Amino acid sequence: MEVRVITGQSENTELLTKMYQLRAKIFSKRLGWSVNADHGIERDEFDTFKARYILVTSDKHVVGCARFLDFSQSTMVASHFADLLDSSAPICTRAAVESSRFCIDTEALRFKSGDASGRKATGLLISAMIGWAALHRYKAIVTVTDVGIERLLRRLNVPFERLGRPRRIEQTMAVVGQVDIAAAQAHPIKAAALDARAIGSVSASA
């Protein structure tokens, strides 16, 4: 498996298309979320040339992805999920980056190589996200996720701080929180500790 970082204006249109197809597969078909997934491709208004994408690839297939948006531009938290935030939520927009559209194709990986591949892809993607944020001098990754992903992060030894109370949105018990980059770098990810049930039941967040 490899990690790739591309932008919304990447010349590698094939990788972008495969990522959008993976998102449609996970968010629309598998999870049944109300997302725009026309012709097997899931995109939204935040997929602009300013977006950054962290991809996990295996044999030319995109098996995991996450999107980063700087808070100097429009973000999902500010535009759609502000009501999830406590009024005193400590988000410093200049020092934080938003993560969204996180997903791992756990079923395809399990079919191909067994449960170990799901663990490896999950750990690889989250490690790459933390590393990218640190490289670009962000102090925190802010995300809207579900409580299942929150449990997954804690199991991986990733420090996740809630910035509001969980609230049900469609089929998801959603919560907004942040990962402190310095703390995350100080605690290695424990991907090997994940079992098949944990990986298989939780594969995506907003």
Side-chain angles (χ1 to χ4, degrees):
M1 293 185 197
E2 296 182 347
V3 172
R4 301 284 298 272
V5 180
I6 62 176
T7 72
Q9 58 183 359
S10 173
E11 294 181 356
N12 196 330
T13 57
E14 182 180 2
L15 266 185
L16 277 173
T17 299
K18 288 181 178 180
M19 178 194 68
Y20 293 139
Q21 290 172 338
L22 172 63
R23 283 167 36 176
K25 177 181 179 180
I26 299 297
F27 294 110
S28 179
K29 293 182 179 180
R30 189 172 300 172
L31 297 177
W33 289 8
S34 299
V35 295
N36 183 17
D38 292 333
H39 306 291
I41 288 177
E42 191 278 312
R43 296 183 64 180
D44 62 23
E45 68 268 31
F46 302 104
D47 291 306
T48 70
F49 70 93
K50 292 184 178 181
R52 298 292 183 269
Y53 303 99
I54 314 294
L55 310 179
V56 176
T57 62
S58 177
D59 296 332
K60 298 183 180 181
H61 296 285
V62 176
V63 295
C65 68
R67 177 178 63 195
F68 277 140
L69 300 169
D70 192 279
F71 276 96
S72 64
Q73 60 186 296
S74 178
T75 63
M76 294 190 75
V77 169
S79 300
H80 298 308
F81 300 109
D83 57 336
L84 291 177
L85 288 165
D86 287 342
S87 58
S88 59
I91 292 181
C92 178
T93 57
R94 291 185 178 181
V97 64
E98 180 190 81
S99 166
S100 56
R101 289 303 189 259
F102 173 97
C103 63
I104 300 287
D105 195 349
T106 53
E107 290 186 2
L109 286 167
R110 186 182 301 112
F111 177 79
K112 180 180 178 182
S113 304
D115 295 321
S117 291
R119 291 193 293 270
K120 181 179 179 180
T122 302
L124 192 59
L125 179 55
I126 295 175
S127 294
M129 293 167 66
I130 292 169
W132 185 93
L135 179 65
H136 292 274
R137 300 184 179 181
Y138 289 107
K139 294 183 178 180
I141 297 173
V142 176
T143 188
V144 177
T145 188
D146 65 41
V147 294
I149 290 286
E150 179 186 27
R151 290 192 296 270
L152 177 67
L153 290 174
R154 297 190 189 285
R155 193 166 184 175
L156 284 168
N157 208 31
V158 177
F160 182 84
E161 176 191 4
R162 287 185 177 183
L163 300 176
R165 295 181 179 181
R167 183 168 65 85
R168 182 164 296 281
I169 299 177
E170 296 183 4
Q171 306 98 320
T172 300
M173 186 60 73
V175 63
V176 60
Q178 66 179 5
V179 173
D180 180 273
I181 298 303
Q185 288 188 302
H187 299 87
I189 287 177
K190 298 180 179 179
L194 296 176
D195 58 27
R197 184 172 56 183
I199 286 291
S201 62
V202 182
S203 61
S205 70

